Amino acid sequence: MYHDLPNSASFWSFLLTVDEDLAGQTRKKGCPCGGRLHSANYLRKPRGTPAQLPELQRLRLSFCCDREGCRKRATPPSVRFLGRTVYLAAIVILISAMRQGPTPRRVRELSQRFGADDSTIARWQIFWREHLPQTPFWKVARADLVTLGEIKSLPYSLVDAFLRRHPPCQGWTLLLGFLSPITVPGGLQIKFSP
Ligand SMILES: [Zn+2]
């Protein structure tokens, strides 16, 4: 059913504006030490992006405390980057979901296009099946999802829940926004390597 990501440039620019909003909220809170947060973005090199993403869209927005002796990094949630994986969050979700969906035949084609090999995809499956359900995030999020339908298999049921009732761009944005709390490094004690 959900074979592909929206590939319009406007979708990817829109995700960036969502990340900028999330970053703005983080900045406003400041550092726990009372220091102010300064921009300290870093450039990521996501693999297999759907289109050649402009540099601005490959930036992981991040901050650094300005107080001497603290200098702690604060990285806001993101709708584009998931943990430390070198793949864009949407690609991780799509390929993992396709493997569980009703039309698994397209997985090979997709994973080739985005350059994800079988062992990478296997690690993603473990993340969805074993790690995510144990996070504090998921324990709360599950309750919110009851209204969207039964969550049988992750992440397929999530993709289905969000894309069944919205046009692709909107559905993807809502789904990525929903998952954004788990994108903060260490924030939910998830180990998620590429
Ligand atoms: Zn600080």
Side-chain angles (χ1 to χ4, degrees), residues 43-92:
L43 196 59
R44 311 224 22 196
K45 290 181 184 137
R47 252 184 239 170
T49 50
Q52 195 54 44
L53 288 182
E55 187 166 303
L56 185 62
Q57 291 190 35
R58 290 185 277 127
L59 273 188
R60 178 65 164 105
L61 303 178
S62 190
F63 301 100
C64 226
C65 175
D66 72 347
R67 196 169 272 189
E68 200 74 55
C70 177
R71 302 277 184 212
K72 242 175 140 182
R73 187 173 273 281
T75 301
S78 168
V79 294
R80 296 173 303 147
F81 300 104
L82 190 62
R84 288 194 299 261
T85 176
V86 294
Y87 295 88
L88 292 177
I91 294 171
V92 176

Side-chain angles (χ1 to χ4, degrees), residues 9-189:
S10 62
F11 172 65
W12 299 97
S13 336
F14 178 66
L15 292 185
L16 174 62
T17 65
V18 175
D19 270 11
E20 283 166 346
D21 285 347
L22 292 168
Q25 291 165 24
T26 296
R27 182 175 219 162
K28 224 190 255 169
K29 281 190 222 140
C31 183
C33 81
R36 285 207 308 207
L37 295 175
H38 283 196
S39 278
N41 301 331
Y42 48 97
L43 196 59
R44 311 224 22 196
K45 290 181 184 137
R47 252 184 239 170
T49 50
Q52 195 54 44
L53 288 182
E55 187 166 303
L56 185 62
Q57 291 190 35
R58 290 185 277 127
L59 273 188
R60 178 65 164 105
L61 303 178
S62 190
F63 301 100
C64 226
C65 175
D66 72 347
R67 196 169 272 189
E68 200 74 55
C70 177
R71 302 277 184 212
K72 242 175 140 182
R73 187 173 273 281
T75 301
S78 168
V79 294
R80 296 173 303 147
F81 300 104
L82 190 62
R84 288 194 299 261
T85 176
V86 294
Y87 295 88
L88 292 177
I91 294 171
V92 176
I93 298 166
L94 179 69
I95 293 180
S96 308
M98 289 296 296
R99 183 160 270 200
Q100 303 164 312
T103 54
R105 68 191 166 80
R106 285 220 10 163
V107 170
R108 185 142 298 279
E109 191 192 314
L110 267 176
S111 50
Q112 276 166 2
R113 174 149 61 97
F114 294 125
D117 60 22
D118 287 349
S119 60
T120 299
I121 297 172
R123 279 199 297 274
W124 292 348
Q125 300 294 123
I126 293 170
F127 166 76
W128 294 111
R129 207 171 44 222
E130 290 168 24
H131 297 301
L132 182 64
Q134 310 223 4
T135 58
F137 162 78
W138 186 247
K139 283 167 188 152
V140 175
R142 245 191 114 138
D144 297 336
L145 286 168
V146 172
T147 52
L148 293 176
E150 205 183 339
I151 300 296
K152 282 184 238 153
S153 55
L154 286 170
Y156 182 80
S157 300
L158 277 180
V159 174
D160 185 56
F162 283 89
L163 272 84
R164 197 173 351 119
R165 60 195 69 213
H166 300 286
C169 284
Q170 195 191 352
W172 273 104
T173 306
L174 291 169
L175 172 56
L176 291 162
F178 172 78
L179 288 173
S180 66
I182 66 170
T183 64
V184 181
L188 292 158
Q189 289 125 27

